[in-house]
Each structure stands twice: as structure tokens, then as C-alpha cells.
Amino acid sequence: MKANTTVVVGMSGGVNSSVAAYLLKKQGYHVIGLFMKNWDEKNEDGVCTATEDYRDVVKVANELDIPYYSVNFEKEYMEQVFKHVVHGHLDGKNPSIDVRCNQEVKFGLFKKYAGLLGADYIATGHYARITEVDNDIQLLTGADQNEQTYFLSMLKKEQLKNVIFPLSSLARWEIRELAIGAKLATAAKTDSDGLCYIGEQEFNQFIRDFVQQPSGNIIDDNKGRNIGKHDGLAFYKVGSSYEFPTNDGVLRLTVLEKRYKDNTLIVSEDHNHEKLYVMDGFIESLNLFTPASQPFDTLICHAKTGYRKPNVRVTISPQEHGSKIVFDEPIRALLSGQHIALYSGPECIGGAVIG
């Protein structure tokens, strides 16, 4: 039956998606590779990295003897993902470009295009797991310690239908071993944990090439005085440390607050300043995989406030507009617009956005 089942695999030219295609072909599915060009970036030699990645897709597809296609979503990615995230940062928010990319592109545009190729299922190289219990889809954590349900938790349940994660039971080192054993062209290719389709760049630094920001004063929280000038509030993240040229020389300081009313950056030498910690917050967008017909008065679960952050027990209570979230322990640098994922044991039950 698998030979009559078509799976379109999102192939990025990396080792993970290559092994995903390899495993599906080995399992007997009719596999089609689909490469998405969503960003035009050149390397230090002036060569478009998407061109290099597509060449690797072609090599692997030929090795596996599977058909392959390429689709260009650059315009849609710019409008639906990149501009949305940049505008969020300009407004003092901290949206995740990877979460947005999954919502709009990988499980949106890509899935629709795969349908035009006759897909019964789509597959990606995410470290996550999907199961069905009583005809209900559940999103579960993957086997690798860097599992990626955090980035999938704002999807709608409909987007998770007819999706396969072939790497769900594998650790990263096992995936590399499989690639080497199968002699795939991407077996030795370096892993990338960078921004979605943009490369390994820190986003606040990256957007400097795309927006202009007015300079403003830097205030030392301890001394209460102006110590220098910042380049623009959007280029800094509360809780992160930067090297600032100040009146006292170049100092590495941590951002405590971005004060928009007077375009001022409040900083401190103390990376774990008490002002960075909170015990509660407000959720302006709550996405649960449970049916909407199941309202709740109080939800007790665990939350991950960042991709590699540990899970923390939380209590969520619906309010008139949004919900309140209370943490069982202090959370450092909980930011407006920040994405959090929610869990019940190994099951990811949804996600939320901090207001």
C-alpha cells in the first residue's frame, strides 16, 4: 500500500531532510522531493546559498532515485513572515521568525503546493512526533534532545493532518550515521540551527540591514546616568548582553528595559538583575490543540519559554481579554510578543504569545 502513497518531502539541502527522504523511500513510499526558495542570500563568494542548497537536493534526489521539484516562495515569505516579524520588533515585540515560518510557509504554502503534486502526506525533517489516538492528532516531543515541538506549537491542528516526521525516533548523531551509511551527498554537511531560511545570524543584528532606527541614550540602571548612545531600540533584546561603546570605554552590559517614550536603553552590569525576573504574565494569543468546545477555568501544565529553555509548571486562567499565566518559579526576560510552548508530559498541547 505504501507504494501507492505519495509523500512530498520538504528538502532543504541539509542532512536532516535528506535522511527523511531516504527513510521514507526505504519504507516503500512514493517519495517526491520539494525544495522551497524563500530567501535570496549570498555567501562570502557572492554565490546564492539557495542555489548551493538546491544543488545538494538534486544530488540526493538522484541518489535516491526520486523525482524533485523547486518552488519559489520569496515574495510570500517576505510579506507573510519577514515583514510581520520585523514590524513586531519595531513595535517592541519579540515574535519568532521560525514559528511564523512554520505557520505560513512550511505547513501552509508548502502543504498546498504539495497537494498539487499529488501528495497524500507531507514530511519534514523536524525532530518531533505525531500520533493519532481515537482519531485525534497528538503532537509529541521527538527523541533528540534538541526536539522541535516548540516551533510547531502555534500550528492549527488541521495543519498537522497528513504530516509525517520521519526523524521522530532518532537522535541527531543517529541521523548523521544514517546519512554516512547511505553515502548521501549531504552526509558531511554542517548542521544549521540558524534563523528560518536566513542563516546563522542573530536576528536583532540581522535586521540592521533592513530598517533604520534613531539613536538614543543609554542609562546605567545602577548609576542613574547617561553613559553613551545606542544604535536603535529594535536592535537590542531585553535580557541579552552587548558590547557598548560608553563614556567609560567599551563595556559588556545587559539590557534591562527598552523605554520607548524617550527612546532610552536601560542597562546594567548585572546579567541576572532582579528586574529581569517575573512570576506571571499575560497571554494575548492562546493556541490549544484541544477542541474549542472544551473551555476551561484553569489549565495547569508546563511551559517552555524558549527553544532550549527548561519546562516550568504554569497555571493559565482565562480573562475577559486573553489569559493570565502564573509560573511556579521566576522567569528571566519574559518579553512581549514572545512565543511559549505548552506541554502535558511529552505531549505538546499548544502554544501562546506573551502580551
Side-chain angles (χ1 to χ4, degrees):
M1 292 296 292
K2 287 185 177 180
N4 297 321
T5 303
T6 299
V7 182
V8 174
V9 185
M11 297 185 70
S12 65
V15 65
N16 290 334
S17 59
S18 299
V19 171
Y22 163 75
L23 290 174
L24 289 167
K25 176 70 183 292
K26 192 175 180 181
Q27 291 165 16
Y29 290 103
H30 173 56
V31 180
I32 298 175
L34 179 57
F35 175 80
M36 293 175 286
K37 185 183 179 187
N38 300 320
W39 192 260
D40 186 11
E41 181 186 34
K42 292 180 172 59
N43 63 18
E44 57 187 14
D45 298 320
V47 178
C48 178
T49 54
T51 302
E52 293 180 326
D53 289 336
Y54 183 58
R55 287 173 184 161
D56 287 334
V57 168
V58 173
K59 290 177 185 176
V60 173
N62 287 331
E63 289 168 346
L64 298 178
D65 191 25
I66 62 173
Y68 58 88
Y69 298 86
S70 175
V71 61
N72 191 313
F73 288 140
E74 286 183 79
K75 180 179 178 181
E76 294 87 347
Y77 182 86
M78 175 61 73
E79 293 297 324
Q80 299 176 31
V81 179
F82 186 71
K83 285 185 178 180
H84 170 87
V85 174
V86 169
H87 289 158
H89 278 256
L90 293 176
D91 292 338
K93 305 286 187 179
N94 293 270
S96 165
I97 196 166
D98 298 281
V99 171
R100 181 77 179 182
C101 179
N102 282 328
Q103 290 175 291
E104 301 295 329
V105 180
K106 290 185 180 178
F107 296 87
L109 296 171
F110 172 84
K111 195 173 184 182
K112 289 180 181 178
Y113 194 88
L116 299 178
L117 298 177
D120 297 299
Y121 295 88
I122 67 163
T124 69
H126 283 95
Y127 300 144
R129 185 161 48 105
I130 288 179
T131 62
E132 281 197 32
V133 179
D134 297 328
N135 295 320
D136 185 44
I137 292 175
Q138 291 184 340
L139 177 64
L140 305 172
T141 55
D144 190 80
Q145 63 178 355
N146 293 310
E147 68 88 21
Q148 295 170 312
T149 52
Y150 175 82
F151 298 116
L152 304 171
S153 58
M154 289 302 289
L155 295 177
K156 299 302 180 185
K157 183 172 285 191
E158 183 69 26
Q159 293 178 289
L160 292 171
K161 289 182 178 179
N162 302 321
V163 173
I164 300 174
F165 294 135
L167 310 183
S168 61
S169 62
L170 299 171
R172 184 171 294 201
W173 67 268
E174 293 177 293
I175 294 165
R176 182 72 65 179
E177 290 284 315
L178 282 170
I180 294 171
K183 298 181 180 180
L184 298 179
T186 54
K189 198 168 183 180
T190 305
D191 288 330
S192 174
D193 287 323
L195 297 170
C196 186
Y197 302 118
I198 292 179
E200 296 178 4
Q201 302 181 61
E202 200 273 328
F203 186 78
N204 296 306
Q205 177 67 32
F206 175 77
I207 62 172
R208 290 172 183 262
D209 294 334
F210 296 89
V211 300
Q212 293 184 338
Q213 284 273 280
S215 177
N217 293 328
I218 302 174
I219 303 296
D220 186 308
D221 182 73
N222 182 46
K223 300 174 182 178
R225 62 181 178 86
N226 183 3
I227 59 172
K229 294 286 186 179
H230 65 74
D231 297 330
L233 294 182
F235 305 143
Y236 305 93
K237 183 177 179 180
V238 172
S240 294
S241 297
Y242 305 86
E243 288 189 347
F244 293 98
T246 73
N247 303 331
D248 301 318
V250 178
L251 300 176
R252 188 161 186 82
L253 303 167
T254 298
V255 176
L256 299 184
E257 179 186 355
K258 298 198 292 186
R259 206 164 66 193
Y260 283 87
K261 64 180 182 180
D262 57 0
N263 191 32
T264 298
L265 205 63
I266 312 299
V267 300
S268 173
E269 295 179 356
D270 184 359
H271 187 66
N272 290 303
H273 196 288
E274 61 179 9
K275 289 184 178 180
L276 292 174
Y277 291 86
V278 299
M279 291 294 295
D280 57 46
F282 183 76
I283 294 173
E284 62 181 15
S285 179
L286 179 61
N287 177 62
L288 294 178
F289 296 141
T290 53
S293 60
Q294 297 180 10
F296 62 90
D297 294 324
T298 300
L299 173 64
I300 298 175
C301 59
H302 283 81
K304 189 185 294 293
T305 59
Y307 174 35
R308 291 192 172 90
K309 297 287 183 67
N311 286 5
V312 177
R313 189 173 181 269
V314 298
T315 301
I316 298 176
S317 305
Q319 308 288 313
E320 184 176 354
H321 301 287
S323 300
K324 182 178 181 180
I325 183 168
V326 178
F327 300 90
D328 275 17
E329 57 188 74
I331 298 297
R332 184 181 181 280
L334 188 69
L335 308 175
S336 178
Q338 177 180 337
H339 167 68
I340 64 173
L342 304 174
Y343 298 88
S344 176
E347 181 184 0
C348 178
I349 61 173
V353 176
I354 298 298

